[in-house]
Amino acid sequence: TDAEAWVVLDTTRSMLARRDRASRTRLERAKAAAAQVRETIPNVPIGVASLTDRVLPHLFPTVDENVFNATVQRSVGIERPPPRSGFLAQVTRIDAIAGMGELNFFRPEAKRRVIVVLTDGESLPFSATRVARRLSGPPRIGTVLVHVWDSGERVYTRGVPEPQYRPDAASGVAMETLARATAGK
């Protein structure tokens, strides 16, 4: 009763990237990982949120696995809703997770708090130190970052790779830096 968690799925357009036309997208892989998180801690209430240039709650923490899975599968989709800054080539703002402790994502009784962020890490620049400071509480929000990314992936439109999209090789460094700053994983 003193713990809650959130699974935060990046839903920006780059999450459509995949190895080839027949393979799963980053978002599909992130959804599968979200289901694994739910199975791993069945007695802990877990919520579902999406991440673009802001974090949007879709389901507040629950122990109901069926509701959780239905929300992930039916409510979470690429740019649903679209980012406010839709005209930029890169719109993900990883630093938006910093506000989760201040924006009533967690019940006041939840003293043990965790967010699991499933993202390709292709974000606008951010200060990992500033994010860590805002997640440090009290109570502290534990952070787990799952880097759903591969350098050989492309975004396909009508079966053809989009020439303007290239995976951001710096995304891994950004995720590692954020994990260190937040004392996360």
Side-chain angles (χ1 to χ4, degrees), residues 86-144:
F87 296 110
L88 298 174
Q90 196 173 50
V91 296
T92 307
R93 293 194 55 121
I94 295 288
D95 57 342
I97 64 171
M100 291 183 73
E102 303 151 4
L103 296 173
N104 297 321
F105 276 75
F106 296 92
R107 289 178 305 116
E109 302 83 24
K111 303 302 178 207
R112 298 174 65 192
R113 303 172 177 195
V114 174
I115 56 175
V116 178
V117 183
L118 301 152
T119 180
D120 58 20
E122 296 181 356
S123 175
L124 292 167
F126 63 91
S127 166
T129 305
R130 192 173 306 134
V131 173
R133 193 175 2 199
R134 290 183 63 199
L135 293 175
S136 65
R140 180 182 172 276
I141 298 175
T143 307
V144 177

Side-chain angles (χ1 to χ4, degrees), residues 25-88:
T25 66
R26 292 174 180 170
L27 182 59
E28 290 167 333
R29 297 192 320 265
K31 286 181 174 187
Q36 288 179 317
V37 169
R38 173 73 269 169
E39 289 175 15
T40 303
I41 48 176
N43 297 322
V44 174
I46 302 179
V48 177
S50 60
L51 170 69
T52 55
D53 54 356
R54 62 196 181 280
V55 177
L56 177 71
H58 292 274
L59 174 68
F60 280 87
T62 180
V63 293
D64 190 321
E65 188 174 336
N66 292 328
V67 172
F68 178 90
N69 289 331
T71 301
V72 168
Q73 291 308 315
R74 296 180 187 158
S75 298
V76 175
I78 297 297
E79 295 187 345
R80 287 191 344 219
R84 291 179 289 216
S85 52
F87 296 110
L88 298 174

